[in-house]
Amino acid sequence: MKLISERLPLGQNAPFQCAPETRKLDKWKKHQEEYCDHMKLVEKALQLLKERIRKGDHLASFLRGQLYFEEGWYEEALEQFEEIQESDHQAVYQLGVMYYDGLGTKANPAKGVEYMKKILESPCPKARHLKYAAAYNLGRAFHEGQGVPHDDEEAERLWLFAADNGNPKASVKAQSILGLYYSTKEPKELEKAFFWHSEACGNGNLESQGALGLMYFYGQGIHQDTDAALQCLRQAADRGNVYAQGNLVEYYYKMKFFTKCVTFSKRISEYDACHDVPTIAQMTDCLPEYITKGIAMASFYYARCLQLGLGIIKNEAEARKYYSKACITTNWKTPSNIFLFLVKTSKSRIWVWAVFFFNLIYITVKLPAIYKKIVELRSI
């Protein structure tokens, strides 16, 4: 699974902050007309920073690089951070992120790892607020085997350090990833997963709020509690968690709230996997893999309602379109991938997805061998 770098942690005296994660997702599609005004503000900020740099303000040099970074002007940001790295730990941190992720330069995970190690090993008090985030990023490198050999035990050790027993001033992302790690490793440690998702959720993490909803819903790592599950899922959905939105769509369909299912699923299924997912991931700090799963779930149930005329006028042509989108979004390109997904899916949900693929087969192409396997799964 591809993880995301930890954003630059800000010290107590930081003069600005990144955009809040809780911003409504719908807004970013409605502000194209404000682009020109935004660019005027950026230009004015750059002029002010240039004047402060001329007067010897060292912080202004970092802020200019950070402004370039936030605007996506990565080559300019890289050049600015390279220039001041000897005297600015935040610049070193950002260089680690940029080299690891290939922002403004060719990806060089080994070089990114070296920059993160500099932060983690630095005795300077000015680097203290960066250490937890650097440890999270190093854990990510060991987990992915990029720049260092793959080593999940070392990744776990670094993430535990970064999470710091749920400290809200530590790496909240590490707390959330530990929840994901313990729920997917073999053997699973679901009670640990629930603990870490709870800590991360309490510290504002959106991904973990949705994960807690599902753990309550299916009784994983905690006793089953549908009311608590729906509260978590609805709050996460309102904050922009697309995977939580997809699971709510599934719940509305199963409870036969078809009008609500259609209204909700139609909006989510309009997201474009190629263009919208990266933007949503940046704004919500949720993993792209789970965002695409949420879009796929919404697309499937919207198609199902269209095909059967549930809460909407029956339209098989439109149903075919959204069934296809659900399949493409989740990258199920071959029969072997379809069957592998079904085998990995929990027993209580296999038949739902079996119905999905039966309809894909019926509406698009016939795959007798796969259909036979799906029928066999119905008795599980």
Side-chain angles (χ1 to χ4, degrees), residues 103-119:
L103 303 175
T105 183
K106 185 178 179 180
N108 187 340
K111 193 169 183 178
V113 165
E114 288 304 313
Y115 278 117
M116 289 301 165
K117 284 182 177 179
K118 285 183 180 179
I119 295 295

Side-chain angles (χ1 to χ4, degrees), residues 244-269:
Q245 293 170 0
N247 278 277
L248 279 176
V249 166
E250 181 180 64
Y251 172 77
Y252 294 145
Y253 182 89
K254 288 183 176 180
M255 296 301 293
K256 299 184 179 181
F257 301 153
F258 297 123
T259 301
K260 199 167 188 177
C261 177
V262 167
T263 302
F264 208 28
S265 62
K266 184 178 188 300
R267 179 169 59 84
I268 303 163
S269 62

Side-chain angles (χ1 to χ4, degrees), residues 131-337:
K131 288 183 180 291
Y132 292 126
Y136 162 79
N137 287 328
L138 284 173
R140 173 195 174 192
F142 278 103
H143 177 70
E144 295 176 344
Q146 297 291 323
V148 289
H150 173 79
D151 188 339
D152 276 341
E153 289 185 3
E154 180 64 10
E156 181 184 4
R157 184 189 71 80
L158 286 162
W159 285 337
L160 286 169
F161 169 80
D164 194 31
N165 294 317
N167 179 0
K169 294 183 179 180
S171 172
V172 177
K173 185 182 285 291
Q175 296 163 13
S176 179
I177 290 300
L178 281 168
L180 179 63
Y181 172 72
Y182 287 125
S183 63
T184 55
K185 69 187 289 286
E186 293 295 341
K188 294 180 174 63
E189 298 182 64
L190 294 177
E191 290 184 359
K192 286 186 178 180
F194 182 83
F195 169 79
W196 283 112
H197 278 312
S198 296
E199 294 297 305
C201 179
N203 291 327
N205 186 273
L206 179 54
E207 189 112 62
S208 283
Q209 187 172 33
L212 278 181
L214 292 175
M215 296 188 82
Y216 274 120
F217 200 89
Y218 295 105
Q220 297 180 337
I222 190 67
H223 64 276
Q224 190 172 21
D225 187 336
T226 304
D227 290 338
L230 291 175
Q231 182 179 2
C232 285
L233 287 173
R234 284 169 177 156
Q235 289 178 357
D238 288 343
R239 294 175 59 200
N241 185 321
V242 178
Y243 190 52
Q245 293 170 0
N247 278 277
L248 279 176
V249 166
E250 181 180 64
Y251 172 77
Y252 294 145
Y253 182 89
K254 288 183 176 180
M255 296 301 293
K256 299 184 179 181
F257 301 153
F258 297 123
T259 301
K260 199 167 188 177
C261 177
V262 167
T263 302
F264 208 28
S265 62
K266 184 178 188 300
R267 179 169 59 84
I268 303 163
S269 62
E270 293 303 318
Y271 287 130
D272 182 86
C274 293
H275 300 98
D276 292 342
V277 168
T279 304
I280 296 171
Q282 183 179 15
M283 295 182 66
T284 63
D285 214 22
C286 291
L287 294 172
E289 180 174 335
Y290 284 93
I291 296 171
T292 56
K293 285 181 180 179
I295 295 171
M297 292 176 74
S299 298
F300 161 64
Y301 284 108
Y302 185 53
R304 184 75 173 154
C305 290
L306 282 167
Q307 183 196 2
L308 301 178
L310 302 173
I312 193 172
I313 297 173
K314 187 175 181 179
N315 189 329
E316 290 194 1
E318 280 293 292
R320 187 183 301 114
K321 169 186 170 182
Y322 285 97
Y323 276 130
S324 177
K325 181 171 184 177
C327 189
I328 293 171
T329 301
T330 45
N331 201 29
W332 292 319
K333 295 180 179 179
T334 66
S336 60
N337 287 342

Side-chain angles (χ1 to χ4, degrees), residues 4-9 69 85 89-101 108-122 127 130-142 146 148 158 161:
I4 304 174
S5 292
E6 179 78 281
R7 292 176 181 172
L8 176 74
F69 184 89
Q85 63 174 301
H89 292 95
Q90 293 185 123
V92 173
Y93 180 91
Q94 290 294 66
L95 286 171
V97 170
M98 298 182 76
Y99 277 109
Y100 190 93
D101 290 335
N108 187 340
K111 193 169 183 178
V113 165
E114 288 304 313
Y115 278 117
M116 289 301 165
K117 284 182 177 179
K118 285 183 180 179
I119 295 295
L120 196 59
E121 297 167 0
S122 174
L130 301 168
K131 288 183 180 291
Y132 292 126
Y136 162 79
N137 287 328
L138 284 173
R140 173 195 174 192
F142 278 103
Q146 297 291 323
V148 289
L158 286 162
F161 169 80

